Amino acid sequence: MTDRSVEVSVDAEPELVPVIRNVAADLAIRMDLQLDTIADLRLAVDEACGLLLKQAATPTTLRCRFTLSEHTITARAEVACEDGATPPQEGFSWHVLNALVREVRSQTIRESDGAPVAVIELAVSDA
């Protein structure tokens, strides 16, 4: 299977996170992943987006890019943030996130214009 990707962008508002969560689940269903993996992905995407919204500059956009490969979905969620903001790597939400996925990492990067962006990447797999 050749890697494919889907990107979703919504206003960085809690009410719109279900859109991203449902896209994640739909992609996992189409890949015929196991039901437990689909549920874990939905919850992990929800947790990741929730963590990022706490760091978001306002107003801004929450973006999530899903990369589909053999039995694996990788999600990269990102949001523009204030200088010095970093996605947490501790606390209950981070612990839940780590328990749900095969791998997870977070970082703050700089766009080409120097604006800070908080990023969380995670991967789930049936393999």
Side-chain angles (χ1 to χ4, degrees):
M1 168 190 219
T2 303
D3 286 0
R4 295 175 291 161
S5 64
V6 173
E7 187 167 323
V8 179
S9 298
V10 297
D11 289 339
E13 301 289 336
E15 300 83 26
L16 297 175
V17 170
V19 172
I20 296 174
R21 185 178 62 222
N22 289 334
V23 169
D26 186 66
L27 293 170
I29 290 166
R30 291 172 188 277
M31 287 181 62
D32 201 28
L33 297 181
Q34 296 175 9
L35 291 177
D36 288 347
T37 304
I38 296 166
D40 288 350
L41 177 63
R42 282 177 58 92
L43 188 52
V45 165
D46 192 66
E47 289 291 334
C49 290
L51 287 170
L52 290 174
L53 287 179
K54 293 176 185 174
Q55 305 296 316
T58 54
T60 192
T61 300
L62 174 63
R63 293 185 302 266
C64 193
R65 181 178 192 83
F66 298 98
T67 303
L68 317 174
S69 56
E70 192 75 26
H71 306 290
T72 302
I73 295 181
T74 303
R76 176 188 169 103
E78 60 183 53
V79 68
C81 61
E82 300 295 331
D83 250 343
T86 57
Q89 295 185 3
E90 55 188 35
F92 182 74
S93 291
W94 187 256
H95 180 72
V96 168
L97 196 50
N98 272 288
L100 293 170
V101 299
R102 186 182 54 160
E103 77 179 66
V104 62
R105 64 182 171 180
S106 69
Q107 61 183 332
T108 300
I109 60 172
R110 297 267 176 197
E111 291 189 329
S112 58
D113 65 358
V117 176
V119 178
I120 296 178
E121 292 181 278
L122 58 91
V124 298
S125 176
D126 274 349

